[in-house]
Amino acid sequence: MITLLSGHTLLVFVGIPVLVVAVLALLVFAPSIAKGPRYRPGLSWWAPPVWIGGPTATKPDPASLPELPAGTSAAAGSTPASAGTGVARTTGGASASW
């Protein structure tokens, strides 16, 4: 026996599952749509540069920096000044200005 599908039957067995799938798809894709486009390798970068942990905006006055104790010279082969000793260094390090 062949029966015709009524509007209510189509709504319950087709409409509701389509609505559930559409809502789930919206919930999955909504965060990426809200964030906007991502950076893709090979494309140019459109965001301004950010230097995290870079140098400060103002440079310290060299006259106010502490000096090495008398009688020690880092260049002469004695104990080199390190960051932990509290002695300021004006050359060397990662800048490669020895």
Side-chain angles (χ1 to χ4, degrees):
M1 169 180 219
I2 299 176
T3 60
L4 295 175
L5 295 175
S6 70
H8 292 282
T9 305
L10 283 175
L11 182 65
V12 169
F13 290 109
V14 176
I16 293 175
V18 167
L19 181 65
V20 168
V21 168
V23 168
L24 287 176
L26 181 66
L27 289 174
V28 167
F29 292 114
S32 63
I33 293 171
K35 288 180 185 175
R38 297 182 345 177
Y39 170 71
R40 302 286 182 184
L43 297 178
S44 62
W45 183 253
W46 60 87
V50 177
W51 192 353
I52 299 173
T56 58
T58 59
K59 293 186 177 183
D61 182 23
S64 65
L65 295 175
E67 296 182 9
L68 289 172
T72 61
S73 172
S78 62
T79 346
S82 65
T85 61
V87 178
R89 296 180 66 180
T90 57
T91 60
S95 64
S97 56
W98 300 96

